[in-house]
Amino acid sequence: MAAAGSEHLRVGFVGAGRMAEAIAQGLIRAGKVEAKQVLASAPTDRNLCHFRALGCQTTNSNQEVLQNCSLIIFATKPQVLPDVLAEVASVVTTEHIVVSVAAGVSLSSLEELLPPKTRVFRVSPNLPCIVQEGAMVIARGHHAGNDDAELLQNLLEACGQCIEVPESYVDIHTGLSGSGVAFVCTFSEALAEGAIKMGMPSGLAHRIAAQTLLGTAKMLQQEGKHPAQLRTDVLTPAGTTIHGLHALEQGGLRAATMSAVEAATCRAKELSKK
């Protein structure tokens, strides 16, 4: 396989759940890979219909994916992955780039379960990959080279930001960004419900809350400001915002959010040890 380019690359997905679909959709929408060059496998057709709707090929055979594709994204549940890798190990070659998106499964575990010198990566994605606004980190195994990492990053940037990091950051990213999507949704819901309580219709409140989160995130990214700076820009003496912030501090929002990221990260680390 020519690691430097993706013109004729065939991408395989072992596991066809929501995250696999999100990555595949991002790759296809961005034109990184043609739908017909994607092959996905799952034990049943329940999730494969989503891949077929994208124009991808599907199969119930995991080994068939390895036999037909050079870059393989394993998107199974963490507890299932060791058995799946054992099933396909006999058809893994040095031509393959093996990518795992399973939370908590270490690079050393992946390398132990696969043939010697297999090129292995861990990717920690998040669900906004489906709208090409994901936040992803990748970590490479011992035998993955710079060209392999460059190829993978180039592909995954179709789904959002993709940054190579030391493996020790991957579990933290799971807590911050993987689980963080649910944390942000909880805050968005609460924000809207505050407006509903004050008399705004539900649909309108949720629409404005989501746009507020989107606009704020864009400002943080584009202006490169620390959140505290942007927050200060909104404050006026004795104004509405400082009264609201006081209520948030009384409710322990900051500490609760830090604890949520910590708890999710610790759970990812627990999974790594199993």
Side-chain angles (χ1 to χ4, degrees):
M1 186 197 75
S6 58
E7 294 84 0
H8 306 292
L9 182 68
R10 295 208 68 192
V11 178
F13 288 86
V14 176
R18 188 74 168 146
M19 188 55 68
E21 181 193 350
I23 295 172
Q25 192 162 314
L27 295 178
I28 294 164
R29 278 182 175 175
K32 296 285 187 179
V33 179
E34 291 183 41
K36 65 183 180 182
Q37 296 295 101
V38 175
L39 175 62
S41 67
T44 69
D45 288 346
R46 184 167 60 91
N47 290 327
L48 291 176
C49 60
H50 300 299
F51 275 82
R52 285 196 284 267
L54 291 171
C56 304
Q57 299 180 43
T58 63
T59 177
N60 297 126
S61 167
N62 295 333
Q63 287 201 358
E64 186 179 337
V65 176
L66 275 290
Q67 288 161 347
N68 286 277
C69 302
S70 50
L71 189 144
I72 316 296
I73 297 173
F74 285 85
T76 67
K77 289 183 171 61
Q79 61 270 28
V80 174
L81 185 58
D83 289 339
V84 172
L85 291 176
E87 176 199 339
V88 301
S90 63
V91 291
V92 173
T93 72
T94 54
E95 294 298 304
H96 287 110
I97 297 176
V98 174
V99 180
S100 168
V101 299
V105 182
S106 68
L107 286 168
S108 60
S109 296
L110 294 169
E111 288 175 338
E112 284 171 16
L113 291 162
L114 291 165
K117 298 190 177 178
T118 301
R119 294 177 286 170
V120 171
F121 288 89
R122 281 183 72 183
V123 173
S124 181
N126 67 351
L127 199 55
C129 287
I130 202 163
V131 291
Q132 294 172 258
E133 290 292 352
M136 293 160 284
V137 296
I138 68 170
R140 69 172 84 174
H142 290 102
H143 307 292
N146 290 336
D147 285 349
D148 304 324
E150 187 180 332
L151 171 66
L152 184 59
Q153 275 188 283
N154 179 263
L155 283 172
L156 292 179
E157 279 170 0
C159 305
Q161 288 191 359
C162 183
I163 305 161
E164 185 171 3
V165 298
E167 187 180 16
S168 59
Y169 293 2
V170 173
D171 289 337
I172 303 171
H173 180 269
T174 299
L176 170 63
S177 190
S179 300
V181 173
F183 308 156
V184 171
C185 285
T186 301
F187 179 70
S188 183
E189 184 180 29
L191 206 58
E193 286 175 347
I196 294 165
K197 181 181 179 183
M198 300 312 296
M200 184 177 281
S202 176
L204 179 61
H206 283 286
R207 182 178 169 186
I208 292 174
Q211 183 63 32
T212 302
L213 266 61
L214 175 64
T216 305
K218 282 189 174 181
M219 287 184 74
L220 287 170
Q221 282 195 330
Q222 292 174 11
E223 297 186 10
K225 289 184 176 180
H226 190 279
Q229 288 179 286
L230 187 55
R231 185 186 65 197
T232 301
D233 290 345
V234 184
L235 289 175
T236 54
T240 60
T241 306
I242 192 62
H243 280 74
L245 283 172
H246 187 202
L248 288 178
E249 294 291 357
Q250 286 178 316
L253 175 75
R254 192 185 301 252
T257 304
M258 290 172 67
S259 294
V261 174
E262 181 181 8
T265 302
C266 289
R267 178 56 180 157
K269 289 181 176 177
E270 283 173 16
L271 289 169
S272 300
K273 295 172 184 173
K274 289 186 177 179

